[in-house]
Amino acid sequence: MGPGSITQVIGEQALIAVVEVDDAPSAAELARCLRDTGVSAVEITLRSPRALAALEAAAAVDGIVVGAGTVLSTKDVRRCQEVGAEFLVSPVFEESVALLSRSLDMFFAPGAATPTEVHRALEAGFSEVKVFPAEPLGGLALVRSLAAVFPSARFMPTGGIDQQSAAEYLAHPSVIAVGGSWIAPPSLIRSADWSSIEQRAREATTALSQGESR
């Protein structure tokens, strides 16, 4: 069995920076930037041609937990483990991916956005699920509705979330973590605007640590 909770992997800070980065040097610099401004975890999505190289470079940086997002196949699982990913996240529930992740002792959050998908994940033994794209699908109202039907489920919303809505999600007891792409959007990464990313990260971690989240 893999880790039972995302908090066992990333610690108690419930914010995961979700990023798309396409080269190793930028990924390493980004990981250091986020670490130094208080972000404890980053999810690098497998949406670019060199995402695995970026993931490997970020994973080599001490002091920050690095995971992979958009994990869609068992091949993705094995490659991400090989380059040092510490957790895996998917927008869908693919049983073969989920079970392989478990057998490799890696935390995996399957995607679930409907009652049927949440039920399937719970039946397979995965109580922590990703809700994506959270805001377009209904935002906190959707999470509240799912939580009412499935009180044992814990949710990790991602997609369209900003600092204010992150705090609102985290105030709900069923939400264990949120993923935020507003901290380090692709445009700032491509332009190497580390100072702007640092400012966004500091603002986010400060706001959530001051109790605006829970």
Side-chain angles (χ1 to χ4, degrees):
M1 291 289 290
S5 173
I6 189 63
T7 57
Q8 291 178 262
V9 183
I10 69 172
E12 292 300 322
Q13 187 195 84
L15 175 64
I16 302 171
V18 178
V19 304
E20 183 178 335
V21 56
D22 198 31
D23 67 273
S26 294
E29 186 63 34
L30 175 64
R32 287 189 287 268
C33 174
L34 294 172
R35 175 200 65 191
D36 293 346
T37 49
V39 177
S40 63
V42 59
E43 173 193 324
I44 295 178
T45 62
L46 303 183
R47 298 180 186 175
S48 63
R50 292 178 292 278
L52 287 169
L55 180 58
E56 184 172 25
V61 175
D62 291 332
I64 186 166
V65 178
V66 179
T70 324
V71 176
L72 300 174
S73 68
T74 55
K75 183 178 180 180
D76 287 341
V77 173
R78 294 192 183 279
R79 289 159 72 182
C80 289
Q81 185 199 40
E82 288 170 0
V83 298
E86 296 180 69
F87 64 92
L88 305 173
V89 182
S90 179
V92 299
F93 178 65
E94 172 58 51
E95 189 172 15
S96 62
V97 172
L99 296 181
L100 177 59
S101 301
R102 175 184 286 165
S103 73
L104 295 174
D105 201 33
M106 298 185 73
F107 174 83
F108 175 73
T114 66
T116 298
E117 291 166 346
V118 174
H119 178 69
R120 285 189 65 213
L122 291 171
E123 286 293 291
F126 294 87
S127 61
E128 296 181 11
V129 297
K130 171 176 178 169
V131 178
F132 174 84
E135 285 294 291
L137 287 173
L140 185 55
L142 171 64
V143 172
R144 286 173 175 152
S145 297
L146 292 173
V149 178
F150 304 104
S152 65
R154 294 295 176 265
F155 300 100
M156 298 170 55
T158 346
I161 295 174
D162 58 20
Q163 184 170 301
Q164 179 179 345
S165 58
E168 294 168 353
Y169 279 107
L170 287 168
H172 195 281
S174 72
V175 175
I176 196 167
V178 295
S181 58
W182 86 89
I183 297 171
S187 60
L188 294 183
I189 296 172
R190 285 193 297 267
S191 61
D193 190 350
W194 309 121
S195 62
S196 293
I197 292 173
E198 287 175 0
Q199 181 179 351
R200 287 167 176 247
R202 284 197 182 95
E203 288 174 354
T205 55
T206 299
L208 297 181
S209 67
Q210 287 178 343
E212 295 180 20
S213 59
R214 291 188 184 273

